[in-house]
């Protein structure tokens, strides 16, 4: 079906306003860069060629839905979406998806803040002044280098409705390290989400010139809120936050937040047994910034996971090869925007993901050799994991043991996992709980007809 009009737009606008002319010129430039004709663009987006022609001529106002689709297809980095939002705001169009889908009061509201301790205790956070974060400051375009002043964090927590962008990013970067080292996400999830609500209010009521900057920061907070909800096994709320994160990220050009949100959405789909949707989210992640090798590496990691979960070994191997090709092309921008993909932390991240993929592929195919490869990959990740990343270390121990069990060495799996069992069972992490259940299944399969040993029984996570 070809769409000739959006459900919020008048059928034809005969007066070309300055804003519409700016949008039309911008659309024409991005279309030419992508080597699209008007006809091809219209067919791909499922709009009529006449509508595209009128939009480019400035005689038709584009909806934000149209702008978002064109922006994503042409790789405009949020520029088209921003111009469409400006047109809607200038016309005081409070019913369009510029408001309901991106900013302000939404038809589908943000989730209420998660239950938990709303009090903020700076003593719970360790200062990591030199650690890069990958968070990009929308005001200056540079990468936030980490927290140098806890006063900024306190400012963000006490007054998120008025705090500066650097204060908000300071809080988020400090929380990012805290969650990596402890994963006590339940205790602070409510705080992160309360701040995200405050930023959302600022998008709705703040000056037009600041809205894109606030959307940029809001995308980072929403992506983190979605990840936290996933960690505490609340996928519906996680998806709501992640959906808003992708909208804000597209509108503001926040590629890192867009990629993180889509990666978590892919993981949720895998947990729900839907590798096809997981693959689509991963593919979309690759398209958010094709010029950036780290974006491709990140997206292909999730494509590999989806292929493995679906039992497609050929697709898995192609994705893995694409990951390492992209990593070989990393430059300064990649290392700045995705520090978690570089150095020891990068080795840990990549090999932890690949070990999980190999474990999943072995489970689907029954191939012990794949599990052996997974065990070696998990061992590599364990050798590189920074000492402070205790939850990742725990996850890798369980994943390594799972691969050993599936490779035909259940005794080695039991000996490896045994000392970590109590900590794993007490963890609130959905990732660790899922891997623990997978390990239990692998050990139970070793002796399906005989009496279960006490060690295997200890792995039962159902009690």
């Amino acid at each position: 079906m070809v769409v000739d009009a959006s459900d919020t737009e008048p059928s034809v606008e005969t007066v070309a306003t300055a804003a519409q002319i700016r949008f039309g010129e911008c659309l024409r430039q991005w279309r030419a860069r992508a080597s699209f004709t008007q006809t091809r663009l219209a067919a791909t987006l499922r709009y009529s060629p006449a509508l595209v022609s009128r939009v480019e001529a400035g005689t038709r106002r584009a909806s934000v839905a149209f702008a978002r689709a064109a922006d994503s297809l042409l790789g405009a980095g949020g520029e088209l979406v921003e111009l469409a939002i400006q047109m809607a705001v200038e016309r005081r169009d409070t019913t369009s998806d510029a408001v309901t889908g991106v900013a302000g009061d939404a038809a589908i509201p943000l989730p209420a803040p998660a239950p938990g301790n709303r009090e903020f205790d700076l003593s719970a956070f360790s200062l990591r002044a030199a650690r890069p974060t990958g968070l990009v400051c929308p005001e200056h375009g540079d990468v936030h280098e980490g927290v140098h002043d806890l006063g900024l964090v306190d400012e963000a927590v006490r007054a998120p409705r008025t705090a500066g962008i650097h204060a908000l990013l300071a809080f988020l970067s400090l929380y990012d390290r805290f969650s990596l080292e402890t994963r006590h996400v339940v205790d602070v999830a409510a705080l992160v989400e309360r701040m995200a609500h405050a930023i959302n209010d600022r998008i709705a009521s703040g000056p037009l010139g600041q809205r894109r900057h606030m959307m940029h920061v809001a995308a980072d907070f929403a992506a983190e809120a979605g990840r936290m909800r996933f960690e505490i096994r609340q996928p519906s709320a996680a998806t709501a936050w992640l959906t808003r994160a992708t909208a804000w990220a597209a509108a503001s050009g926040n590629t890192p937040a867009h990629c993180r949100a889509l990666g978590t959405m892919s993981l949720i789909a895998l947990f729900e047994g839907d590798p096809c949707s997981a693959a689509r989210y991963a593919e979309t992640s690759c398209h958010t910034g094709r010029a950036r090798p780290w974006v491709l590496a990140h997206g292909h990691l999730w494509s590999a996971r989806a292929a493995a979960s679906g039992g497609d070994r050929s697709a898995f191997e192609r994705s893995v090869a694409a990951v390492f090709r992209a990593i070989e092309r990393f430059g300064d921008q990649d290392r700045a925007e995705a520090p978690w993909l570089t150095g020891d932390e990068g080795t840990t991240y990549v090999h932890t993901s690949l070990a999980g993929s190999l474990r999943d592929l072995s489970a689907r195919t029954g191939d012990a050799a794949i599990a052996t490869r997974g065990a070696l990959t998990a061992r590599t990740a364990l050798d590189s994991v920074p000492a402070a990343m205790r939850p990742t270390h725990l996850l890798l121990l369980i994943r390594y043991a799972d691969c050993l069990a599936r490779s035909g060495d259940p005794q080695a799996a039991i000996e490896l996992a045994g000392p970590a069992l109590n900590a794993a069972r007490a963890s609130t992490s959905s990732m660790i709980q899922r891997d623990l259940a997978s390990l239990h299944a692998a050990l139970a399969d070793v002796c399906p007809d005989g009496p279960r040993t006490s060690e295997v029984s200890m792995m039962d996570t159902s009690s």
Side-chain angles (χ1 to χ4, degrees), residues 141-158:
D142 56 350
V143 176
H144 194 265
E145 295 183 351
V147 181
H148 296 268
D149 182 3
L150 287 179
L152 282 176
V153 179
D154 191 55
E155 174 192 342
V157 172
R158 293 180 182 278

Side-chain angles (χ1 to χ4, degrees), residues 9 25 35 56 119-120 138 240 293 395 417 443 463:
E9 299 284 76
E25 291 174 347
S35 300
E56 288 196 357
E119 296 300 320
F120 182 77
L395 174 67
L443 290 171
S463 60

Side-chain angles (χ1 to χ4, degrees), residues 251-317:
S252 63
N254 189 340
T255 297
H258 207 163
C259 288
R260 291 197 304 274
L262 286 166
T264 306
M265 292 171 74
S266 183
L267 188 57
I268 291 172
L270 288 174
F271 270 47
E272 294 177 340
D274 186 1
C276 293
S277 292
R280 294 191 68 179
Y281 293 136
E283 181 181 1
T284 303
S285 176
C286 289
H287 285 286
T288 61
R290 278 196 172 277
R292 306 183 192 185
W294 81 259
V295 172
L296 292 174
H298 177 270
H300 287 307
L301 268 177
W302 290 112
S303 293
R305 194 71 185 266
S309 184
D312 189 338
R313 182 168 184 172
S314 295
F316 166 75
E317 298 292 359

Side-chain angles (χ1 to χ4, degrees), residues 206-264:
L208 179 62
Q210 296 180 7
R211 291 192 177 195
R212 186 179 184 188
H213 291 167
M214 296 313 302
M215 286 183 193
H216 185 111
V217 176
D220 287 318
F221 272 81
E224 185 59 28
R227 186 190 69 82
M228 289 189 300
R229 289 286 190 147
F230 166 70
E231 283 283 356
I232 58 178
R233 289 172 274 181
Q234 295 180 355
S236 296
T239 300
W241 276 113
L242 295 168
T243 300
R244 189 63 68 88
T246 59
W248 277 328
S252 63
N254 189 340
T255 297
H258 207 163
C259 288
R260 291 197 304 274
L262 286 166
T264 306

